[in-house]
């Protein structure tokens, strides 16, 4: 109901846009904001006596503003590919912080990231392992290193997937998995 | 509650029975393009009740059954099972949970006294006698001891689909309905389309969604 | 008009799906097909006397079938992320082969590719340099190596982009560009 | 015809005048996330006549003008110029071109004799006298000697936008219209939305398009 939504909204906003929030952690600075956008019905917006708009907790949409360090505040659409991915991860982790699920699956969320951002992403995921399990699919060596356990999927028999356990040094530069005895 | 194991058999490119255990906090899955990594994600969504074949990258649901390869014939069944550890909750967690439930009830009662229409309907007032043996009441009692409302240290959910189109769900090897699976994970953040599964290429889907669509994600987390 | 379209269609199909076509080059085997899908108006489809459908060259849509080596033919939607990117590059290069433009811009088309496919992608681009210039934006070291000239874009002054010339060994592991004198 | 140089000034994050020359066949552009690489692609699309601000990742067209940073004030103009080498065609290429044009004309005449409605309209029959000095005829003569129909070894196109919303196009520093830019690149495969520019995250757009949308790409290449 109204109160639960309001509590969640305030918690997620704090985790996302606060001084020690996820956005600043992933961008190494900058500022972010989550705003409620009252859905304006055909009539006029309602206002409090002091002029600020009445927030209809049950009807408003959610707007996100992201300001990477040193840049003017941007609407989401003007961020770069990597900046969007990092902002999305920050938002996801903030929701996770306010209501952790027992597991989280991330399928190549690091595809658009440069190495510096992959590093920050891995460090943030590490901070959530007290509450949840993460299943991370990746082609980035740095992300493979951050996994505590690594599985390879191969198609030695064409068209049929098999699971093999691997150590990080078995993953060749071309992503193919070498057999352990080939070390 | 902890995710323990995933078992695939005849699901997409996993023709042979394949088990993936999750003993560590971060499990990496690697391999060349097209080897079957995202099929693992599809398997998790599917067993949790995904009903749209399009969101599993197929045209119809039987596309999830192994369709054959250069050396193998197509199979007639796809099966995926997901196993969770479901230990008894520690006394501290139990106490915290009970306090939380009590607070939520007080909050709802306060709303219903104020007379706001949406709150009243949600709480059965103290005066109404509730039959202690209805499924939901057993559920509540069991819920009080373990994370998932099944009185067993491990909970396995399984989904099967046959090439003739018939399908079934199972909870700890007993037949169940999709609704039972959904009820099982109510309020845990786990689900086929929950915020906790980010598919390939969809990392910024939440950012690109409309403000109202984003709101539903926040509501899910409430 | 009809004849030009037919000629182009046949040329692109040959470049894409032929024995030595782009699809087989990028996948190291397999088979692909481009089919014309007659748009069925409210009436029935027309047929020739031998039963094959009459192809209306001016009205048909284009359907693509891709069969990676060792797998059953798949509709495009069932391919993996990397397989889709490789199929798309194969199609683009086939169109390019039949009508080369003087330049081509590729913005991180290699993001979803594993190292083996990045390698094949680079080798294919190299084969087109006799007709066109390529501008390739990438985070993959292998693709950087395939460039004949490399420019770095930096934001040493926050929020303001500057272009610097770089040698490949100046690009650090984290994607940041080190100054030449820091060598 | 060869792409020689791109010049940005006040366009998106390129506050200072920036030149990028393309002396080699493959030019790589690298740098950390958010540094301005895709802004270069937007600049190329923009100078070639892109009219949708949304496809340049903005809300309105003035979003392409440098909007300021921590240390700089916003600017009032954005300018992008693209320079092509436009050498005289070699005799062999000229001969091949003329043969191609002749064949195309014969083909069209054959179609118009068959009486099919769509072909007849396209070819002026031999009997009609054409004024040799109309722009399109000069164009055809010049086209006969160089790849781009401008009689100069280098062709520079430029687009400017001012914060008051006024804008202009220039070809070799002379004012032109968007239509002139489009005519310039007719049939060369170069254009703001041509198949030769693949934006970030859109590599599989052609595959995901509908069959009829794919057809337009084939038509463009015809
Ligand atoms: N029912 C099925 N039977 C057999 N194979 C299937 C079936 N459905 C999908 N596949 C195969 O699975 C492959 C796709 O696998 P998946 O998407 O998991 O690859 P991936 O490892 O995620 O690759 P990438 O790194 O490119 O994302 C396709 O090549 C497809 O042919
Ligand atoms: N009008 C403008 N004025 C100033 N900066 C702008 C303007 N428009 C966009 N930007 C900035 O440009 C940046 C985006 O740059 P771009 O998309 O080119 O990055 P990129 O190098 O492609 O990064 P990635 O590797 O993540 O794709 C954004 O951070 C945005 O703030
Ligand atoms: Mg995948
Ligand atoms: Mg980019």
């Amino acid at each position: 109901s109204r109160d639960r939504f309001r509590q969640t909204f305030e918690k997620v906003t704090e985790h996302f846009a606060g001084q020690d929030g996820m956005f600043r952690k992933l961008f190494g600075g900058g500022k972010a904001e989550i705003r409620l956008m009252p859905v304006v019905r055909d009539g006029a917006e309602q206002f409090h006596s002091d002029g600020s708009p009445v927030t209809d907790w049950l009807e408003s949409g959610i707007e996100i503003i992201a300001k990477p360090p040193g840049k003017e505040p941007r609407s989401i659409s003007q961020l770069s590919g990597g900046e969007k991915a990092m902002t999305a991860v920050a938002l996801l982790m903030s929701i996770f912080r306010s209501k952790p699920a027992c597991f989280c699956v991330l399928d190549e969320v690091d595809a658009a990231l440069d190495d510096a951002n992959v590093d920050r992403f891995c460090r943030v995921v590490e901070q959530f392992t007290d509450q949840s399990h993460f299943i991370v699919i990746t082609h980035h060596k740095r992300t493979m290193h951050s996994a505590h356990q690594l599985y390879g999927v191969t198609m030695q028999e064409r068209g049929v997937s098999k699971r093999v356990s691997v150590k990080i040094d078995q993953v060749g530069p071309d992503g193919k998995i070498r057999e352990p005895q080939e070390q | 509650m902890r995710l323990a194991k995933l078992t695939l058999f005849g699901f997409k490119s996993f023709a042979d029975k394949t088990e993936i255990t999750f003993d560590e906090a971060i499990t990496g899955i690697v391999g060349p393009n097209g080897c079957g990594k995202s099929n693992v994600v599809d398997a998790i969504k599917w067993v949790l009740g995904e009903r749209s074949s399009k969101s599993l990258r197929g045209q119809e649901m039987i596309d999830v059954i192994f369709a054959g390869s250069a050396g193998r014939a197509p199979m007639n069944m796809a099966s995926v099972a997901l196993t969770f550890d479901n230990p008894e909750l520690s006394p501290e967690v139990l106490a915290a949970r009970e306090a939380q439930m009590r607070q939520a009830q007080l909050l709802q009662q306060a709303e219903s006294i104020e007379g706001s229409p949406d709150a009243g309907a949600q709480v059965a007032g103290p005066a109404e006698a509730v039959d202690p043996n209805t499924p939901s009441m057993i559920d509540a009692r069991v819920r009080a001891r373990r994370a998932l409302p099944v009185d067993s240290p491990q909970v396995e959910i399984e989904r099967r689909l046959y090439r003739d189109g018939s399908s079934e769900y199972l909870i700890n090897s007993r037949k169940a309905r999709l609704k039972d699976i959904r009820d099982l994970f109510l309020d845990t953040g786990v689900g086929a389309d929950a915020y906790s599964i980010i598919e390939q290429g969809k990392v910024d889907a939440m950012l690109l969604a409309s403000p109202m669509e984003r709101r539903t994600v926040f509501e899910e987390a409430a």
Side-chain angles (χ1 to χ4, degrees), chain A residues 84-152:
Chain A
K84 264 193 218 138
M86 292 293 272
T87 306
V89 168
L91 189 59
L92 168 77
M93 292 307 194
S94 309
I95 294 173
F96 233 76
R97 187 59 93 206
S98 88
K99 182 169 178 192
C102 75
F103 73 87
C104 177
V105 180
L106 303 172
D107 191 350
E108 300 197 25
V109 299
D110 56 2
L113 304 184
D114 62 34
D115 294 351
N117 277 331
V118 169
D119 198 55
R120 271 195 280 257
F121 161 67
C122 291
R123 269 186 272 132
V124 161
V125 168
E126 193 69 45
Q127 292 167 7
F128 280 77
T129 52
D130 55 330
Q131 302 166 311
S132 315
H133 274 209
F134 286 85
I135 301 170
V136 183
I137 296 174
T138 182
H139 290 296
H140 273 280
K141 297 282 183 290
R142 168 64 184 94
T143 311
M144 292 180 198
H145 277 288
S146 74
H148 306 157
Q149 178 186 40
L150 211 54
Y151 286 118

Side-chain angles (χ1 to χ4, degrees), chain A residues 105 107 109, chain B residues 41-42 45 55 192 197-203:
Chain A
V105 180
D107 191 350
V109 299
Chain B
V41 181
D42 289 342
K45 285 173 62 183
S55 116
I197 299 178
I198 308 279
E199 297 164 55
Q200 187 169 6
K202 299 238 187 339
V203 63

Side-chain angles (χ1 to χ4, degrees), chain A residues 68 71-72 74 78-83 112:
Chain A
K71 297 184 178 178
E72 288 308 303
R74 296 259 151 238
Q78 286 180 307
L79 294 175
S80 81
E83 290 171 335

